[in-house]
Amino acid sequence: MNTQILPIEDPGKDESYVRRAAEILRAGGLVIIPTETVYGLAANALDGSAVRRIYEAKGRPSDNPLIVHVSNMEMIPPLVEDFPDGARRLAEAYWPGPLTIIVRKSGRIPPETSGGLDTVAIRMPSHPVARAIIETAGIPLAAPSANLSGKPSPTNARRCIEDMMGRVDAIVDSGSCQVGVESTVITLAEGKPRLLRPGGITLEQLEAVLGQVEVDPAVLHKLSAGAKASSPGMKYKHYAPKAHVILVEGSLQQFAEYVKTHQQGKTAALCFDGEEAFLSVRAFSYGKKEDAATQAARLFDKLRELDDAGEETVYARCPDKEGVGLAVYNRLIRAAGFEVIKL
């Protein structure tokens, strides 16, 4: 497949590229688009055959549901059976933004988009290019992260090109993403609100609107065998570089000593800013220890840099689990295949 590169810095100035992306999507094609979280691999969410092409391009299991992206509230009623009051209050507070809300779907959502579930995950991205493309196409877009399944999500177009050149019709290049980890996912389809995936909108922010929100066990632990994934990012090993990642909980001194005594082959460390000098192996910093937002923005690209460097074993410093830090921890334990050493 001949993949077009569409550079769009400003959707107003680069209107011809926006129209081209929209034309491809309306015709059933695949276009990688930027969002404020990560780059997404988009197709017409209402076209089951177009959505099947997403799974094929990514090598993604077809029982893993996709998120439907809209550009305005008027697009939602045809997609859902009901949009409850809690969903409306969350939308008023945090849309456009990095929040996905799961509700009961209408018959217009094909099973390919919902992963065979009777629910649909919806979000309204804040990225101006994503919104312009959705608006111009006039259709909701199903869009998981634009990487080969299991690899770290791409936060810039260069990483999309590495994974997807020749697999999709077009890649929109709009620079780096701001948030850096995928959206928060909350379900309102099962009675009590339940956090399924942490992201840029924190648990505390959700509870400020809804009151108490349950945290699904799969946020911090492996999904039990045979369980159905109700959100992207729950079921399979995700976000992983080729290197063997091991998450290590403990102080810097404990971490440094553990790495020193467990070096094997090409070993590296994923650490916080300023800690490199204390480590006996090549170190990759993914942000300040007290700055979870920076950690989130850098994490996926740092995981990709580990592969660029040919590292084989990577010991990763454990982030705090408060606020956005919960999202960082959630991605790291999946990158590590839930292998955690507690010192």
Side-chain angles (χ1 to χ4, degrees):
M1 184 185 299
N2 181 28
T3 301
Q4 303 175 49
I5 305 297
L6 306 176
I8 306 177
E9 292 185 13
D10 181 329
K13 294 179 180 177
D14 302 315
E15 189 177 352
S16 62
Y17 290 131
V18 171
R19 287 198 305 270
R20 179 59 187 143
E23 289 166 2
I24 293 170
L25 290 162
R26 281 198 301 267
L30 300 182
V31 179
I32 292 176
I33 65 172
T35 77
E36 73 278 20
T37 58
V38 300
Y39 274 74
L41 174 51
N44 182 353
L46 307 180
D47 182 343
S49 61
V51 172
R52 280 196 295 274
R53 294 186 62 203
I54 291 177
Y55 291 107
E56 292 165 3
K58 281 178 63 73
R60 180 187 179 101
S62 60
D63 63 343
N64 207 2
L66 305 180
I67 292 171
V68 176
H69 294 66
V70 299
S71 60
N72 57 67
M73 293 298 292
E74 288 71 32
M75 296 180 74
I76 294 176
L79 310 178
V80 303
E81 187 179 279
D82 180 43
F83 201 66
D85 178 65
R88 294 186 184 281
R89 286 187 284 128
L90 285 174
E92 289 172 2
Y94 302 123
W95 277 0
L99 174 65
T100 295
I101 303 171
I102 295 178
V103 295
R104 297 289 173 186
K105 73 174 187 176
S106 75
R108 293 200 65 191
I109 299 293
E112 291 88 349
T113 298
S114 62
L117 302 174
D118 60 1
T119 54
V120 61
I122 301 176
R123 99 172 182 95
M124 188 185 298
S126 62
H127 197 293
V129 174
R131 291 171 62 79
I133 291 172
I134 298 167
E135 196 75 29
T136 304
I139 50 176
L141 300 180
S145 55
N147 53 291
L148 292 173
S149 189
K151 291 185 67 174
S153 301
T155 56
N156 57 62
R158 178 170 68 90
R159 299 302 188 181
C160 298
I161 292 168
E162 288 175 2
D163 280 11
M164 291 294 173
M165 199 70 178
R167 291 172 173 262
V168 299
D169 297 289
I171 298 173
V172 174
D173 185 350
S174 296
S176 296
C177 302
Q178 181 181 6
V179 177
V181 294
E182 298 84 354
S183 61
T184 301
V185 180
I186 185 171
T187 180
L188 300 179
E190 303 168 3
K192 290 184 178 180
R194 186 157 47 95
L195 176 67
L196 301 182
R197 183 178 73 184
I201 300 299
T202 66
L203 175 62
E204 293 79 7
Q205 288 175 294
L206 297 174
E207 291 185 328
V209 173
L210 298 177
Q212 185 176 5
V213 174
E214 294 181 352
V215 177
D216 194 280
V219 168
L220 296 174
H221 305 284
K222 198 171 186 178
L223 197 67
S224 57
K228 188 78 173 176
S230 49
S231 166
M234 290 181 72
K235 188 169 185 180
Y236 302 95
K237 183 178 179 181
H238 272 65
Y239 324 117
K242 294 175 185 175
H244 177 199
V245 177
I246 301 165
L247 190 57
V248 181
E249 291 191 22
S251 67
L252 173 57
Q253 183 178 355
Q254 289 172 317
F255 179 77
E257 184 61 28
Y258 186 88
V259 170
K260 185 177 180 179
T261 56
H262 289 79
Q263 293 178 224
Q264 48 185 318
K266 285 204 70 179
T267 301
L270 193 62
C271 65
F272 301 120
D273 287 359
E275 297 181 347
E276 297 90 340
F278 296 92
L279 298 167
S280 57
V281 299
R282 185 175 181 186
F284 296 75
S285 172
Y286 69 104
K288 296 179 180 179
K289 188 178 187 305
E290 66 279 5
D291 186 352
T294 301
Q295 294 167 20
R298 289 187 191 175
L299 178 63
F300 287 145
D301 212 44
K302 289 299 175 180
L303 290 175
R304 293 224 176 207
E305 284 183 22
L306 295 169
D307 282 345
D308 294 343
E311 304 296 348
E312 297 171 349
T313 301
V314 178
Y315 295 107
R317 283 274 273 147
C318 185
D320 292 333
K321 301 169 193 173
E322 301 297 322
V324 177
L326 182 63
V328 179
Y329 181 79
N330 171 269
R331 301 321 191 266
L332 271 173
I333 57 171
R334 280 162 170 75
F338 298 90
E339 187 173 355
V340 182
I341 304 295
K342 296 185 178 182
L343 303 177

